[in-house]
Amino acid sequence: MEKLLSIKEIVPDMQDWSCKVIVQEKQQITQSLSTPTKKQKLIFVDTEGSKVEGIIFNHDISRVGPILQVYKKYKITNAVVRPIDSKYQTAELTMQWILTSKTVIEEDADDEDIMPVKFNYTQFTDLAQYVDRKDKSVDVLGIVIEAQDRRVINKHFKESVVQKSVLVNEQSQAVMLSMWDDFIKNEGQHIIAEIGNYPVVICRKLKVNNYNGVALSTWFDSAILVDPPVQEARELKNWAIRNTKLLAAIIDEKSYIKYNPQISAKPDQKTILISNVRPSQKNIWVKARFSFQHIFQKYWYMSCKKCCRGTAAADGVIFMCNTCKEKHPAQPRCHFDMDLCDDTGAITASVFGEQAEKLLKFTALEIMDHFKQNIELPLEAIHKELESKWFLIHIKPVQAQMSDAKQRYTVIYYSKLLNSDAVDSPAESKNAESKNPTLLIELQSDTADIVTSGATAIQETKPASKARQCLTQKLELLADQANNTSRSVSEGSKKKSRLM
């Protein structure tokens, strides 16, 4: 006669046993990189709150997988029991049940209203410490208030589909969640169907990325529970129903697409010296001054209104963007290079959009008008003001190397520091690197860093002024000089290799 046991009582090699469990989560089907073996993992929980991992292999996935539905209760009999490999065990999961077509699985109609399970959620304000950590994942609880359109992209030389959603917590903080491939077809469909009812999700084993400071992404072993019968989820759903106007305002303002220092920056944010910045670092904070008066540049480029990538289209012209694959008007966007300097050195970084406009105190449209009218931007006061100011700056390395082989960085966020917060005894003299005329040429190819989307160029009917032609020629000359320098270095290395 079968024994109805709890999860804790079931051990390897046990015969004639049964256990009533709830399916807490069901992962996507995955395949090993080294073998053709396919597998699907589940997590079961019993009335005592104990958990065990279920696993289905290969052909049994199509036979057994559809039977087991998330949040349903089942009586499982005589599955093969084995310990999980010690390096993959957790405090909650030490045993594994292998489910095959021979395993007896019966649905139990006596479903409980609330799953007897507790999760350890990571607060949104604590996500920054896990950015780009391959060895760490996070569990979060949130309300999905908006889901964006799906996009097809090439990832690791393979075509993938991604869909971004907006998660909000009870503190009205928002973070972007990217769901990939099978998650879109499964949990994503469920979320879209319930989007008007503020679906609550428990997302497990997510990766934290450095996008707009902090963003979340599914991983191969992630799990997303939609409207789970868990007490915390029920409470958050009720909060959402009581605060529909607040959530609607978040959607209208679209504040979630901007950098949120409340989530990404800490009051006691740790920084490193400029001399210690390395391209291999993904999440970099520094205290530095801004300097760009020695850099000859344009300060704007024409961009796609949606994806901000460069285009040859004229201002206001609606064109098909080759990057986001949609039709949008072209508009000017502020962009320029600057040196980030402290007492130990300087690095070059690019700043874009509103943050760039805030530094220059000009909008992109005003900058473009100055350029077209051949009026130099009055930046003397700005340069003088920046000499004595220190900033807390969040930067990330640019993946694509430029023709001059000099590593570039992008400013994600900056904030002005009070004098007491700045580094001790800032150097009075400017860094010698910033004065080096050779460095001046190396820094000028910022426009080459802008990816151009396809569009029909609109010829201007008004001829350009001589001064403006001169400005354009200087920009082109500096870019050519950088390319020639790179080419000379390359040819020199080839000759050297022949001689050797």
Side-chain angles (χ1 to χ4, degrees), residues 246-355:
L246 173 63
L247 298 177
I250 294 174
I251 295 173
D252 291 340
E253 294 169 5
K254 296 192 181 299
S255 57
Y256 48 80
I257 65 175
K258 298 179 181 179
Y259 187 98
N260 184 354
Q262 291 182 339
I263 295 177
S264 303
K266 294 182 177 297
D268 57 345
Q269 183 65 54
K270 294 181 179 179
T271 61
I272 62 173
L273 298 173
I274 293 291
S275 59
N276 293 332
V277 172
R278 298 290 180 270
S280 58
Q281 299 163 326
K282 300 295 182 66
N283 195 31
I284 309 169
W285 288 84
V286 297
K287 289 180 181 178
R289 296 188 303 271
F290 292 147
S291 175
F292 55 93
Q293 62 187 25
H294 60 289
I295 304 177
F296 185 76
Q297 51 192 326
K298 189 178 174 183
Y299 294 107
W300 70 279
Y301 70 98
M302 195 63 69
S303 71
C304 168
K305 184 177 181 179
K306 180 178 181 180
C307 70
C308 300
R309 304 308 288 267
T311 178
D315 183 26
V317 172
I318 297 175
F319 71 103
M320 175 60 74
C321 177
N322 287 339
T323 302
C324 64
K325 309 298 183 185
E326 296 179 13
K327 285 189 174 183
H328 293 284
Q331 65 178 20
R333 188 172 190 236
C334 188
H335 157 246
F336 61 94
D337 279 358
M338 57 186 178
D339 281 351
L340 313 185
C341 313
D342 67 8
D343 292 342
T344 67
I347 56 174
T348 305
S350 298
V351 62
F352 294 85
E354 291 182 8
Q355 294 194 101

Side-chain angles (χ1 to χ4, degrees), residues 44 86 146 152 156 212 237-238 384 447 460 472:
F44 301 123
S86 59
E146 186 175 56
V152 178
H156 305 309
N212 267 354
K237 171 82 81 172
N238 290 333
K384 187 69 176 175
T447 52
E460 296 182 76
T472 304

Side-chain angles (χ1 to χ4, degrees), residues 211-226:
Y211 176 78
N212 267 354
V214 165
L216 299 169
S217 177
T218 56
W219 198 242
F220 71 95
D221 61 347
S222 299
I224 297 179
L225 313 182
V226 185

